[in-house]
Amino acid sequence: MIDRYARPGMSRIWGEENRLKLMLRVEEAFLEAIAEDKGIPAAELKAFKTAARGGLHEQVVALEAKSGHEVIALLSAVGARFKDQAPKLSRYLHYGLTSSDILDTALALQLREAVELLVADWEEVAARLGGLAKRYEFAWMAGRTHGVHAEPITFGVKLAGWHAEARRNLARLRRAREEASYGKLSGAVGCFSQVGPQYEARVLDALGLKPEPVATQVVPRDRHADYFHALVLSAAAVERFALEIRHLQKTEVLEAEEPFGEGQKGSSAMPHKRNPVLCENLCGLSRLIRSYESAMVENICLWHERDISHSSVERVILPDAHVALDFMLARFRKVLDGLQVYPERMKENLDRSLGLVFSQKVLLRLVDAGLSREEAYELVQRNAMRTWKTREPFLKALESDAVVAKKLSRKDLAACFDLKAYDKTVKELLARGGVA
Amino acid sequence: MIDRYARPGMSRIWGEENRLKLMLRVEEAFLEAIAEDKGIPAAELKAFKTAARGGLHEQVVALEAKSGHEVIALLSAVGARFKDQAPKLSRYLHYGLTSSDILDTALALQLREAVELLVADWEEVAARLGGLAKRYEFAWMAGRTHGVHAEPITFGVKLAGWHAEARRNLARLRRAREEASYGKLSGAVGCFSQVGPQYEARVLDALGLKPEPVATQVVPRDRHADYFHALVLSAAAVERFALEIRHLQKTEVLEAEEPFGEGQKGSSAMPHKRNPVLCENLCGLSRLIRSYESAMVENICLWHERDISHSSVERVILPDAHVALDFMLARFRKVLDGLQVYPERMKENLDRSLGLVFSQKVLLRLVDAGLSREEAYELVQRNAMRTWKTREPFLKALESDAVVAKKLSRKDLAACFDLKAYDKTVKELLARGGVA
Amino acid sequence: MIDRYARPGMSRIWGEENRLKLMLRVEEAFLEAIAEDKGIPAAELKAFKTAARGGLHEQVVALEAKSGHEVIALLSAVGARFKDQAPKLSRYLHYGLTSSDILDTALALQLREAVELLVADWEEVAARLGGLAKRYEFAWMAGRTHGVHAEPITFGVKLAGWHAEARRNLARLRRAREEASYGKLSGAVGCFSQVGPQYEARVLDALGLKPEPVATQVVPRDRHADYFHALVLSAAAVERFALEIRHLQKTEVLEAEEPFGEGQKGSSAMPHKRNPVLCENLCGLSRLIRSYESAMVENICLWHERDISHSSVERVILPDAHVALDFMLARFRKVLDGLQVYPERMKENLDRSLGLVFSQKVLLRLVDAGLSREEAYELVQRNAMRTWKTREPFLKALESDAVVAKKLSRKDLAACFDLKAYDKTVKELLARGGVA
Amino acid sequence: MIDRYARPGMSRIWGEENRLKLMLRVEEAFLEAIAEDKGIPAAELKAFKTAARGGLHEQVVALEAKSGHEVIALLSAVGARFKDQAPKLSRYLHYGLTSSDILDTALALQLREAVELLVADWEEVAARLGGLAKRYEFAWMAGRTHGVHAEPITFGVKLAGWHAEARRNLARLRRAREEASYGKLSGAVGCFSQVGPQYEARVLDALGLKPEPVATQVVPRDRHADYFHALVLSAAAVERFALEIRHLQKTEVLEAEEPFGEGQKGSSAMPHKRNPVLCENLCGLSRLIRSYESAMVENICLWHERDISHSSVERVILPDAHVALDFMLARFRKVLDGLQVYPERMKENLDRSLGLVFSQKVLLRLVDAGLSREEAYELVQRNAMRTWKTREPFLKALESDAVVAKKLSRKDLAACFDLKAYDKTVKELLARGGVA
């Protein structure tokens, strides 16, 4: 796990202690499921569930070093501890199961805990995006394509788009949660050779999981690769938003800035600098999470009923990707909380294009007035080029163009440059983006 | 597009002709939507829809070479053709729209055509997997983990697992189809600055698509990256199956072989060779499709209301990945149709492990008979090691072990080695895998 | 191959015709090597080398459809053609060789042709970068870190950095050429079982290649994966440069623009737009080439003496990556040839930061004057923050700061703001970057 | 860093303590370089170099939490400690430098330490590969292509091929070491605005590094992406070897086994199992390292004179990839040290193909005897097919074929099946692979 980026909640989930706890939770549910049939006394079961388990992790680590096998080490440690206290139960611990029954079922529980944290993270972010969208509903700014001014947009609409993307990613994470909610207790090679399907049904039901219909020795890894994609897309969304803030914070643009603490120093050399380092960090982390994906997909193609090559990959990638994404969402929330937005500067920048951003409106009015599209296009482009070169406002240029004047009155022309006309659509776009 | 792997149906979908056709389909739906409001005569609309469009592709290519802009070239070509025939319509062609309105909406239509082909491909494959699973329901073979014999399995159960994975991928493709079914006609920077949302609603409804709630200038690329993952997982599934067949065809295993044509030659040097070249090819193609994914994810982070860096990526990857996956599914269907399966050899190989594959059953019977798990484990392992070294059948070894004999009768021991006992679960697993 | 991006020279190299030609070139070299030992008449050899080979491609394609094996098809086609004309030679054609001997050796020749084209492409680009660096040696502009003004730089220095990176990539391509220059004629599984190493030596020597010391059935794929990385890094370099131009062309920055043709149209909607579409396209193509790499690395791990899973990957990726990179370099050369550079605007933007870009120089003078670094830092930062808020020029702010005034005279302060002082280092940096 | 896979030597290199130490090493070298010009007393320098630095890491972490900037935190901590002891030196600490001067130069030192460890690792592996190759020089086994028996090979030749690949990777790591040996002290945006190039030259010379000719604010990231590829290829080589061992350990093949400790348990369920888990783990780790690469390449395209998005990526990937590769090489060495090789089983498996592996030799003798290649091919294939179906040894089948008998004597035929004939080439191949 990446310490630098690890927040406590997500760290706990991926820590060894929780991992062991979840594995024991599965063993316990299994013991409960077979207790009656195998005659395990209720007192033993109770002892097993309530006994102190401190120090188990250290014991397991020590035993694993000897046996080279994690689950066997866990069983030995637990077995030793309960041998006297719960002799019958000890014999039936892990009865007829294979390691992957425990590992994969516990992993499903772990993924569910993790994804719930991510869902909560995203909801915090989405709430802020919605709030900011509302606040800047009519903060007009240049819409930009290719980095070049295109037509006006409001910062609120931009944020409503982010809000919609946040919600899409929330939906993806929830879908991923379902994909990850499959366990198995079908034993070695998945054939229920020792213990029948009825016990699997009871155990998974108790854990809130669904049975893998036809497992190999493991829950098939296409599920995990599918699950993982939701993380990659979530990271990419944050990256897209962070990238935009970096653009808005460029010296020449300066329409927004990420928060900059009092004691913070932007540069060891240049004290005046306020750099979008949080957002840059978010872009880097997304790059990282994205890169993991190919390994998760490669994991699908295990040999026969499974080899164990996926294990090292998952040991590294699953904690790291969850930790990094959790960190990203928390950091991005912080960015949004302290985001500096400069609406006057947005307007100022928009005005820099001298009205050219309204060119299409003029073009269409000329078409409405009877010109062919090609004629109108050339007429508008001619005047646009003139504005571009002479810095004469576009409206002025058009007003002094005789051909235009013949088609459009001054009032008609002026109407093309009026932002008020867009108010209704702005409101509608916010609503479409789920912003109340 | 990759000629070598291109099948006609998928080629057609991704060909320039279809692309133009779909773009015109969008323009046409838009003209219909605005016809009444803009007073476009019904006759002009009819002319537009029925007129011959032959040679349009060549014209567009020529015009694009001049203007450097594909949609403008298309509009010029169409405009020129309908100028006289439909003068009013010509003026309102593409009225208030931006290129991406057409491109992305047409892309949605194209993706839907493509994914429907893939769904049909998978259904063919799934049907064969189901049929084979049924046919080999009780073809016992070694279940293998780590490439080493584990416990018995049937080839039918293995195939039922594939069938279940095929169905998961079918579900993913259908979900991807929904994700791809979003169009936009919200104009430059997505703000409906020229044409209101009501027209978008009409157009997309006519095309069977849904409106992107808050678009930038384009439909946001997280949708396409999400869509694409379904292709990657489909390819990985075929790869996993092909990998298994390659393993089964290894000289020492030889439990199955991919079809080998009469005139086919396996090697330019060694005439006796029958190589799983089709399956190896499938593994390579999956590698290819998987590698594309990172570029599709990178495409999400466009600048501001969009740059055009995603375009070249999609131009290459979307046709190539669809063509390759369509080819993979068709080729895999062919592999299944001609698959040679050798049940006797499967049984023969299973018998090679001298009964060790039943070791766990013995272990559990010893536990039932009162041994601790640890005691039983060591007892079984001791005898297993002996069998491993002396090649004495495992049952024999156990029978001559005094400690075992004290716990289990000969009859009990023999019962551990009886495959009949698994019949019911095999049937259940097939049912769980959706095999009737 | 990607038609849209295919230039004739690179297309020819990766075309089927050239592929066949190179394969025959290897067979021919082999026949020459064994001619004396096997008694192949000189007349037959001559006939083989000079005979017309038109239509061979079509024949091979037809035969491959039947045999499912490309090299066997080639041999049949050639064999049939020379059976009467050169009967003895026909018998010894491909004598003792395996398909991969021909395929991999021909691939080495093909890669060498391709990389030579790329080297020539880069040299064209590097020459232009050098020329532009010289031309804009003293075009001062804002050096930017985090997208925020840092300290002054010249456009010439920036370009000298690109020139140095271009030269690094040239060196990498030349090194890649060496890595790709290995052939093999060691037969099936690489053991020279039929034909001794002496013939391999002769053949490869004639072709200008080196023998693979210990091949499997193929030249090991780590070589190709190593080779490929040079393409990825070349693409990333162009991407980095293109990214910079996109930044410089942003409306608010506008310090440079990629060329914009007379007839070109920037947008179907907004006639005033001049978009950096060429550079955006270059960024997308790099994304594509980068994505291929993982598949090339996966190809290394073939089974035993080789399987054929690498073949489909290479068939797609090798032509595509070469074609795309060749296109990128040519397109970038065109961008450089027509690059619009606006030095006045660069200076204007630099002045926007009101002298803050010289803050470090002031800081260090204060240290020289006896302040501790921490004191100096805080003093400078305080004034920088004031400038930032009040828009008062930094020099003015400093002059009116009593604490500063105590340490630095007006003259000393002014000297900190003089660009002339950098002239010598600028010249040195150009020289270091290899710009004459 | 990945604890589970971290070995002490590599952990130390990537630990925070070493990182700080190397950063201070750079600051120190810089102070020495400017000492004379700035009048820093020798006693202060000496104090700086010899003073205790314990607890610095904790202080830096605490300060970084406040300033959000690692290098500033380091400077503050060091400054505070030496303020009284070395007042003048304290003022000139980091004089005119930017953080990246220290970070990137220290990173170069760190990469060099790390790569030296990897080189040592590989040399250990290569030595063992050479030794094993020699030991099994004439251990004949089936050469396999497509997983199917092809022609005979020796295990020694296979290992000689690995030895050659190991040496290629050693050469790559040494080349990577050169690529990583570039530092910079050219200050913010790389223009030597505060401190001249002469100091950089002195510092880097003292550290054994070379100056980056034209840096941005950082050493350009194409160097690091180039460096990283050597790690990816090293991992892929180990993966290829591990994959082979996994194949050889399959139950039906069983020609070799990775070491299996006394106390080790192969399966929690099946005590007889000996699974190639070490080799599977190696395959997984290579998948992991390979996946990182795209992020390293993405890091190349920083904005302008640099943004900081590469930092988080490198913080995770560089330690992890080095730690994982170091672990892989050590683990693989252990695998080789305890590798179980079964030459008799190799021979036994080779004999399973009933002599078909010699088919090509027969084919060529028939060609030598005057048949056309096509005739010979069909003759051999016919007999091969018969052997394949009837299990009659290939030599017997050929002897009883009248057409063959007319062309080849019994003695000639038998000679085709004699492995002795290959002895000389086996020796030569070992020599070519660098095996003494």
Side-chain angles (χ1 to χ4, degrees), chain C residues 219-232:
Chain C
V219 172
R221 257 43 198 175
D222 60 310
R223 292 204 188 277
H224 304 81
D226 197 5
Y227 171 91
F228 197 83
H229 198 55
L231 274 59
V232 172

Side-chain angles (χ1 to χ4, degrees), chain A residues 181-201:
Chain A
S181 293
Y182 286 81
K184 72 161 284 248
L185 281 98
S186 47
V189 313
C191 275
F192 296 105
S193 54
Q194 318 298 339
V195 184
Q198 68 276 23
Y199 300 106
E200 179 183 74

Side-chain angles (χ1 to χ4, degrees), chain B residues 144-149 247 250-252 267-269 271-273 275 280 352 356 360 373 377 380-381, chain D residues 144-146 148-149 247 250-252 267-269 271-273 275 280 352 356 359-360 373 377 380:
Chain B
R144 294 167 175 102
T145 56
H146 313 278
V148 174
H149 286 196
H247 271 297
K250 292 198 69 177
T251 303
E252 283 84 2
S267 150
S268 68
H272 68 281
K273 293 203 67 173
N275 303 322
E280 289 171 345
R352 278 197 197 201
L356 288 172
Q360 190 181 201
R373 190 188 165 77
Y377 192 100
V380 169
Q381 191 176 38
Chain D
R144 294 168 173 101
T145 56
H146 314 278
V148 174
H149 286 196
H247 271 297
K250 292 197 69 177
T251 303
E252 284 83 3
S267 149
S268 68
H272 68 283
K273 293 203 67 174
N275 304 321
E280 288 170 346
R352 277 197 197 200
L356 287 172
S359 63
Q360 191 182 197
R373 188 185 167 79
Y377 191 101
V380 168

Side-chain angles (χ1 to χ4, degrees), chain A residues 145-146 252 273 280 377, chain C residues 145-146 149 252 267 273 280:
Chain A
T145 56
H146 313 278
E252 283 84 3
K273 293 203 67 173
E280 289 171 345
Y377 191 100
Chain C
T145 57
H146 313 278
H149 286 197
E252 284 82 4
S267 150
K273 292 204 65 172
E280 289 170 343

Side-chain angles (χ1 to χ4, degrees), chain B residues 212-349:
Chain B
E212 183 61 44
V214 189
T216 58
Q217 182 140 334
V218 293
V219 172
R221 258 43 198 176
D222 59 310
R223 292 205 188 276
H224 304 81
D226 197 5
Y227 171 92
F228 197 83
H229 198 55
L231 274 59
V232 172
L233 294 184
S234 281
V238 176
E239 182 185 4
R240 186 168 89 87
F241 309 157
L243 184 72
E244 177 77 18
I245 295 173
R246 288 170 62 192
H247 271 297
L248 298 182
Q249 189 161 350
K250 292 198 69 177
T251 303
E252 283 84 2
V253 178
L254 211 56
E255 300 180 357
E257 285 182 300
E258 64 172 43
F260 191 80
E262 271 305 295
Q264 199 180 338
K265 284 173 184 179
S267 150
S268 68
M270 293 157 288
H272 68 281
K273 293 203 67 173
R274 296 170 69 132
N275 303 322
V277 291
L278 301 178
C279 286
E280 289 171 345
N281 172 267
L282 294 174
C283 291
L285 288 174
S286 171
R287 220 171 271 169
L288 183 67
I289 293 174
R290 166 163 66 247
S291 79
Y292 290 140
E293 185 160 35
S294 64
M296 285 302 286
V297 177
E298 282 191 58
N299 272 356
I300 293 174
C301 297
L302 303 177
W303 287 16
H304 301 296
E305 277 58 66
R306 84 106 160 79
D307 60 68
I308 198 73
S309 61
H310 63 296
S311 169
S312 51
V313 174
E314 292 178 0
R315 264 181 202 282
V316 176
I317 282 182
L318 287 181
D320 280 11
H322 282 95
V323 156
L325 180 55
D326 173 54
F327 178 84
M328 285 179 75
L329 288 165
R331 171 161 280 191
F332 187 59
R333 187 187 60 196
K334 184 180 143 192
V335 167
L336 292 177
D337 278 337
L339 190 69
Q340 305 294 306
V341 182
Y342 309 119
E344 315 75 33
R345 182 60 180 259
M346 288 173 172
K347 190 62 177 46
E348 197 182 317
N349 284 339

Side-chain angles (χ1 to χ4, degrees), chain C residues 200-212:
Chain C
E200 178 184 72
R202 282 183 218 162
V203 172
L204 296 180
D205 198 53
L207 299 171
L209 300 173
K210 284 164 281 182
E212 183 62 44

